[in-house]
Amino acid sequence: MDIKGAGLYQEMQAFARQARSLSGDMQTGQAQVDNVSQSDFSQLFKQALNTVNGLQQNSSELGTAVELGDPKVSLAQAMIAGQKASVAFEATVQVRNKLVEAYKEVMAMPV
């Protein structure tokens, strides 16, 4: 599969639109935050973890295919999949770190 510049550009634009909508949602106010239940957050977090897991599995499969010399998979595809998985994992680790920090702050509050 060839790397198409337009395809990568469209994918980057889609990610940018998602990020803008998320930042817009964050700025709409505290009322929306109060309406989000704990189960919604846990579902969202589970979906994010499943997505990261899928990206890592795809990266591993493409890497194995390249190592075995599969002509259908290019080195560029495998490298891009690896980078996507890496970025997704790092983002997940950062979210986890923020959650741990918030938990520690809450636990340190005097009652």
Side-chain angles (χ1 to χ4, degrees):
M1 179 177 154
D2 294 332
I3 295 179
K4 304 273 190 231
L8 288 174
Y9 180 73
Q10 289 173 349
E11 191 173 339
M12 289 172 52
Q13 290 296 326
F15 286 143
R17 281 191 299 274
Q18 286 176 341
R20 272 189 240 111
S21 81
L22 286 175
S23 68
D25 290 345
M26 293 173 133
Q27 295 172 355
T28 56
Q30 186 64 30
Q32 286 184 345
V33 173
D34 293 338
N35 292 333
V36 176
S37 70
Q38 182 179 4
S39 63
D40 290 340
F41 178 77
S42 66
Q43 282 296 100
L44 182 65
F45 199 65
K46 284 179 187 177
Q47 287 175 337
L49 289 176
N50 288 334
T51 301
V52 171
N53 185 39
L55 288 170
Q56 288 180 334
Q57 288 177 347
N58 183 41
S59 173
S60 177
E61 290 169 3
L62 289 175
T64 301
V66 167
E67 289 172 359
L68 294 175
D70 187 350
K72 297 176 188 173
V73 180
S74 70
L75 178 61
Q77 276 181 290
M79 296 300 292
I80 290 171
Q83 288 301 310
K84 283 182 181 179
S86 177
V87 167
F89 181 75
E90 287 298 320
T92 304
V93 169
Q94 292 299 321
V95 169
R96 187 223 38 183
N97 290 345
K98 291 294 183 182
L99 285 171
V100 169
E101 285 178 30
Y103 175 77
K104 287 180 180 178
E105 277 186 39
V106 169
M107 293 307 292
M109 288 181 182
V111 179

